[in-house]
Amino acid sequence: MADNDFARHRWHSLLGVVPVGLFLIVHLTVNYQATDGPGAFNQAASFMESLPFLLFLEVILIYLPILFHGIYGIFIAFTATSNVGRFGFFRNWMYLLQRISGLFLVIFIAWHVWETRIAMALGTALSYDMMANIFSNSWMVVFYIAGVLAAVFHFSNGLWSFCVHWGILATPRAQKIGTYATAVIFVLLGYVGISAVFAFI
Amino acid sequence: MSVASEERKQGSEQELSTVRLIITRQDGPDQASYEESFDVPYRKNMNVISALMAIRRRPVNTKGEETSPPQWEMNCLEEVCGACSMMINGRPRQACTALIDKLEKPIRLAPMKTFPIVRDLVVDRSRMFDALKRVKAWIPIDGTYDLGAGPRMAESKREWAYELSKCMTCGVCLEACPNVNSKSDFIGPAPLSQVRLFNAHPTGALHKTERLHTIMGKGGIEGCGNSQNCVEVCPKGIPLTTSIAELNRATLVQSFKDFFGSDKE
Ligand code: HEM
């Protein structure tokens, strides 16, 4: 890890926001279409599927960045320790939750991709019914709600962390304003994500 | 006051009250640690150092056994040297400014376990001084002839730089940092903040690029995980997280210069 520590870490940070974070916003927004009924969702999904160079776009804008971010993220998470018991400060909790949510996302995203994208590649049509089927199991509803909240938290808090990491938020005042701003993002994006889950039930 | 009445007075105070200290001890670097309790006579305005001195005068534990006096380090006794840093009731801080009256009893003392333990409360903070050497935390003025007066520094800059210069390398921020641990080689917040300090100095800036390159390498700035514990626990109130964010910005600019090529500094 030694020499390129700087570049590797900065790539990890950048990719978390662009493109992976942006993709999360697009993804949750498309899902939100389901609140207008199955037809609206199917239309939005088939528009996404109809994009030219779909596989290329997916690989470059989603799979590779998320793999790099995820794998290096696991490394970062396991070289950390937690001391919230001794130092129960707000930011220390966020630090811990950032790592826990990241590790949970490894499991969630793997499962989610298997169940949807890979299932589609193997022949199941990606549609409103596919999700409605998955959510006929209430454990899956719980799992998906946890997944959405973890992703939205990880992205919102990650955005704050990103801004510090790139020297955008430097003073305590700027960092505090950043905390409020990203908390608002968490609430708004969380609302979009969770509403979408319930639209399939 | 005669010696006899002095002793009588002390004797009566001793009966008045005692303070219990529970100390995590260790006889040597590779020995097992154990706890030992001591009751020391209460005196007004005493601090953890004077309590430890009282134990040293009469090293008898609460079981009535004579034992070796617990070892600790101290120097300035006014919270500017950092030598007497230890865990006091679970928080890393200096023993000299830890007033007995303000501490919850019994008082628990333990060494800062981020550092190798030498004996009892004495730890080896060499890694911090090594890090200061690595980042060249000094101003290069040595030479074979008199270089004359240095350039002036703007007052607006001096103001914040002075705050950073209060760092006493005490180790409290490293103790609180969850990314400073045996699995990582992160040098910790204190030496990073010194990079910002010496890069801000007009003459210190002669080493600016070198310092930035150092912290862009192994164990450097990317070790920070933004838990921000450091700034919460720093006894000197040094804006460590602001220093780190500013260095994040400076190293970014440096990486662009390195990659795309630009005027060397
Ligand atoms: C796949 C599993 C993932 C793992 C294991 C993971 C792990 C991590 C870890 C450990 C950090 C902290 C980095 C640090 O403080 O240095 C982090 C930061 C971040 N993550 Fe993830 N992450 C994952 C997925 C995601 C996803 C899906 C997104 C986008 C929605 C994302 C966006 C971010 C952002 C924006 C940051 C902040 C970067 C920074 O601190 O500069 N991550 N991630």
Side-chain angles (χ1 to χ4, degrees), chain A residues 9 12-13 16-17 20-21 24 66 69-70 73-74 76-77 98-99 102-103 105-106 109 151 154-155 158-159 161-162 165-166, chain B residues 224-225:
Chain A
H9 222 115
H12 172 265
S13 174
V17 177
V20 180
L24 179 71
I66 223 173
H69 182 92
I74 294 173
I76 293 173
Q98 185 71 10
R99 279 145 188 79
L103 292 179
L105 283 172
V106 177
I109 295 174
H154 190 88
F155 172 64
L159 203 57
S161 179
F162 172 89
H165 202 149
W166 293 80
Chain B
C224 173

Side-chain angles (χ1 to χ4, degrees), chain A residues 2 5-6 9-10 78-81 83 86-87 89 91-92 95 99 160-161 164-167 169-170 172 175, chain B residues 87 92 113 175-176 178-179 181 183 216 222 225-229 232-233 242 245-246 248-249 251-252 255:
Chain A
D5 226 352
F6 181 82
H9 222 115
R10 289 290 169 116
F78 281 104
T79 45
T81 56
N83 55 18
R86 289 195 292 147
F87 305 101
F89 309 119
R91 271 289 145 214
N92 198 20
Y95 163 92
R99 279 145 188 79
W160 178 89
S161 179
V164 175
H165 202 149
W166 293 80
L169 300 176
Q175 294 182 350
Chain B
M87 302 298 289
K113 58 184 187 315
E175 176 71 22
N179 268 15
N181 60 56
K183 296 174 280 183
M216 285 160 78
E222 296 300 329
N226 288 316
S227 78
Q228 301 212 329
N229 285 351
E232 300 274 359
V233 297
T242 307
E246 290 286 352
N248 275 326
R249 194 185 290 173
T251 47
L252 177 67
S255 72

Side-chain angles (χ1 to χ4, degrees), chain B residues 107-167:
Chain B
I107 296 164
R108 290 177 180 275
L109 304 182
M112 296 195 294
K113 58 184 187 315
T114 294
F115 302 96
I117 292 160
V118 177
R119 181 169 178 177
D120 295 333
L121 302 168
V122 181
V123 296
D124 178 1
R125 289 176 295 133
S126 296
R127 59 169 292 171
M128 294 191 74
F129 303 104
D130 291 342
L132 289 178
K133 286 185 221 161
R134 270 189 65 199
V135 301
K136 295 194 163 56
W138 59 75
I139 289 167
I141 50 169
D142 288 344
T144 50
Y145 62 96
D146 185 356
L147 295 171
R152 284 168 54 97
M153 190 173 190
E155 172 58 17
S156 53
K157 198 183 210 181
R158 200 252 347 131
E159 259 171 33
W160 61 259
Y162 180 66
E163 296 305 315
L164 309 188
S165 75
K166 290 180 181 170
C167 179

Side-chain angles (χ1 to χ4, degrees), chain B residues 213 252-265:
Chain B
H213 279 158
L252 177 67
V253 172
Q254 185 60 45
S255 72
F256 271 69
K257 287 184 182 173
D258 294 344
F259 191 79
F260 295 108
S262 180
D263 299 356
K264 288 211 170 67
E265 277 194 55

